[in-house]
Amino acid sequence: MFGKLFGRDAERPVRDPHALPVPRKQKNGVYPLRALGDTRVLALVEAADAGDWEGVKTALAPFELGRDHQVLGQLADLDGVQDWIGRAVEEDKEHRATALLISGTRHISWGWEARTAERAVNVTQEQWRVFHERLHIAEEQLLEAAELRPDWVTPWRRLLTSGRGMSLGPAVNETRLDAALRRDPLDLETHLEWVSQLQPRWGGEPGEALAFARDAFARAPQGHRLGCVIAMAHIEDWVESDSGDCLETPRIQQELRDAADHSILHPAYVWRPGWQHDFNMFAMALSLAGERHTVRRVFQTLDGAYTSWPWTYLAEPEKQFARHHRRA
């Protein structure tokens, strides 16, 4: 269905019938990606925003929410979902697992909104109370969803996040990691979550996350998006480092080029809703590494499509994306 678009040096998906049109008015040739760039996902978001549970179920038909982390993430980050999803949990017995999954995932995001992005020492007691209250609800709902649908991987990946927030400890979180990887050994989002958990700021040892990422990448077939774990591991190392140019080494540049060629730039890469998130991870990592060749191909393919993550690690993230986009 997808292939190369005629053009110089840049791999692009051919016209997708479900792709949202690129906004005509762009600032600096850049635009924030909306609803994973997909009309079907937009219909889902609009139904959820209206509190229309029947519409949500209809819009979910093309997707497998128990495995599609990105589609689930669109519902998790939507303010207001928490106001109506509880009714679906209680009243729709047939789709209780789906409602529990959405509600539990939303409560994690909602909990972090209460905690804020402040350092722990700056979070008030009331913020901590609300944070833990919402994460406790999320834990109960996600565990029940996982019990109802033992084949789903998304509840376990989200339980890693809540477990980290509630400081449940390595034994619990490693058990959850194993549960997720048993269901999908190559699941990118699970690996990305674990890369975060292995950072020193969460109790990991320096170099531990990158070693985990390299081991995972070594098992990834050509064209698999798991290659993004290398990009994010280097970005996380940059976040932890006191040196802004810590990634600017020939070895890291080569490792990022090889990972991009093996995954997102490989002909076997699957173009799916939200593919721009994968490319943004590499765009940021390659930019931080000062790489000048592969980064151009990545930005050309994106053609201005900006996703806030992982650029939110930078001050004025969209401006930083636009600056690196121009330089590429």
Side-chain angles (χ1 to χ4, degrees), residues 53 65-67 72 85 88-90 92-106 108 136-159 162 176 179 183:
W53 177 232
L65 206 61
R67 292 188 172 274
L72 178 60
I85 190 63
V89 169
E90 296 303 321
D92 192 340
K93 303 305 180 184
E94 181 183 355
H95 299 94
R96 181 175 172 83
T98 299
L100 284 165
L101 176 61
I102 295 170
S103 182
T105 304
R106 173 58 192 154
I108 293 175
H136 181 72
I137 293 171
E139 288 262 319
E140 290 185 338
Q141 293 184 329
L142 290 171
L143 286 168
E144 184 179 348
E147 183 178 358
L148 290 171
R149 291 297 305 266
D151 56 316
W152 282 357
V153 65
T154 49
W156 294 107
R157 175 261 179 265
R158 294 291 175 166
L159 282 164
S162 59
R176 293 175 176 187
R183 287 156 177 80

Side-chain angles (χ1 to χ4, degrees), residues 48-192:
D49 194 37
D52 179 5
W53 177 232
E54 294 301 320
V56 167
K57 290 187 291 183
T58 299
L60 280 173
F63 307 107
E64 188 179 356
L65 206 61
R67 292 188 172 274
D68 198 323
H69 300 279
Q70 290 183 307
V71 172
L72 178 60
Q74 293 294 298
L75 299 174
D77 295 335
L78 188 61
D79 187 29
V81 166
Q82 69 277 359
D83 296 334
W84 59 265
I85 190 63
R87 293 193 302 274
V89 169
E90 296 303 321
E91 297 172 5
D92 192 340
K93 303 305 180 184
E94 181 183 355
H95 299 94
R96 181 175 172 83
T98 299
L100 284 165
L101 176 61
I102 295 170
S103 182
T105 304
R106 173 58 192 154
H107 272 79
I108 293 175
S109 297
W110 197 30
W112 243 276
E113 289 168 16
R115 183 203 180 281
T116 75
E118 289 286 338
R119 296 179 61 185
V121 295
N122 297 325
V123 179
T124 67
Q125 287 188 347
E126 176 61 15
Q127 286 173 317
W128 279 120
R129 185 191 67 78
V130 175
F131 176 59
H132 283 283
E133 180 181 272
R134 292 174 181 174
L135 290 194
H136 181 72
I137 293 171
E139 288 262 319
E140 290 185 338
Q141 293 184 329
L142 290 171
L143 286 168
E144 184 179 348
E147 183 178 358
L148 290 171
R149 291 297 305 266
D151 56 316
W152 282 357
V153 65
T154 49
W156 294 107
R157 175 261 179 265
R158 294 291 175 166
L159 282 164
L160 283 172
T161 307
S162 59
R164 173 159 52 94
M166 296 182 73
S167 301
L168 297 183
V172 171
N173 285 325
E174 287 171 9
T175 298
R176 293 175 176 187
L177 173 68
D178 290 343
L181 295 182
R182 280 199 306 273
R183 287 156 177 80
D184 187 348
L186 300 177
D187 185 65
L188 172 61
E189 279 75 10
T190 297
H191 284 84
L192 294 180

Side-chain angles (χ1 to χ4, degrees), residues 5-37:
L5 183 71
F6 294 109
R8 191 174 179 178
D9 298 328
E11 288 81 0
R12 296 287 304 281
V14 297
R15 179 63 184 171
D16 177 3
H18 302 295
L20 285 172
V22 174
R24 291 185 179 180
K25 293 184 179 180
Q26 301 177 20
K27 188 175 182 180
N28 299 319
V30 170
Y31 66 96
L33 187 70
R34 182 186 182 198
L36 303 181

Side-chain angles (χ1 to χ4, degrees), residues 112-328:
W112 243 276
E113 289 168 16
R115 183 203 180 281
T116 75
E118 289 286 338
R119 296 179 61 185
V121 295
N122 297 325
V123 179
T124 67
Q125 287 188 347
E126 176 61 15
Q127 286 173 317
W128 279 120
R129 185 191 67 78
V130 175
F131 176 59
H132 283 283
E133 180 181 272
R134 292 174 181 174
L135 290 194
H136 181 72
I137 293 171
E139 288 262 319
E140 290 185 338
Q141 293 184 329
L142 290 171
L143 286 168
E144 184 179 348
E147 183 178 358
L148 290 171
R149 291 297 305 266
D151 56 316
W152 282 357
V153 65
T154 49
W156 294 107
R157 175 261 179 265
R158 294 291 175 166
L159 282 164
L160 283 172
T161 307
S162 59
R164 173 159 52 94
M166 296 182 73
S167 301
L168 297 183
V172 171
N173 285 325
E174 287 171 9
T175 298
R176 293 175 176 187
L177 173 68
D178 290 343
L181 295 182
R182 280 199 306 273
R183 287 156 177 80
D184 187 348
L186 300 177
D187 185 65
L188 172 61
E189 279 75 10
T190 297
H191 284 84
L192 294 180
E193 180 63 26
W194 199 247
V195 163
S196 293
Q197 297 228 13
L198 292 176
Q199 296 307 311
R201 63 183 181 274
W202 291 106
E205 297 294 330
E208 193 175 8
L210 187 55
F212 170 77
R214 285 169 173 162
D215 179 69
F217 178 58
R219 293 180 277 106
Q222 290 186 330
H224 198 285
R225 58 193 294 261
L226 184 57
C228 296
V229 74
I230 295 293
M232 275 309 306
H234 281 299
I235 291 172
E236 291 279 10
D237 275 2
W238 176 85
V239 172
E240 294 282 349
S241 176
D242 294 327
S243 174
D245 61 356
C246 65
L247 301 186
E248 295 181 25
T249 71
R251 180 187 176 190
I252 292 175
Q253 291 171 353
Q254 187 61 55
E255 183 171 33
L256 288 169
R257 280 194 292 266
D258 290 345
D261 287 339
H262 187 87
S263 56
I264 63 169
L265 297 179
H266 193 276
Y269 177 75
V270 177
W271 302 92
R272 46 184 280 168
W275 61 264
Q276 296 90 340
H277 286 268
D278 297 348
F279 276 73
N280 267 263
M281 281 186 265
F282 270 105
M284 181 172 171
L286 290 161
S287 296
L288 291 175
E291 203 277 339
R292 288 287 176 265
H293 303 286
T294 300
V295 72
R296 183 178 303 115
R297 297 170 64 196
V298 172
F299 273 114
Q300 284 179 340
T301 307
L302 281 169
D303 198 23
Y306 158 80
T307 62
S308 60
W309 181 259
W311 297 93
T312 47
Y313 277 136
L314 299 170
E316 299 184 307
E318 190 168 343
K319 287 184 178 180
Q320 290 293 331
F321 173 89
R323 181 172 70 85
H324 287 293
H325 182 269
R326 288 194 303 272
R327 289 178 62 185

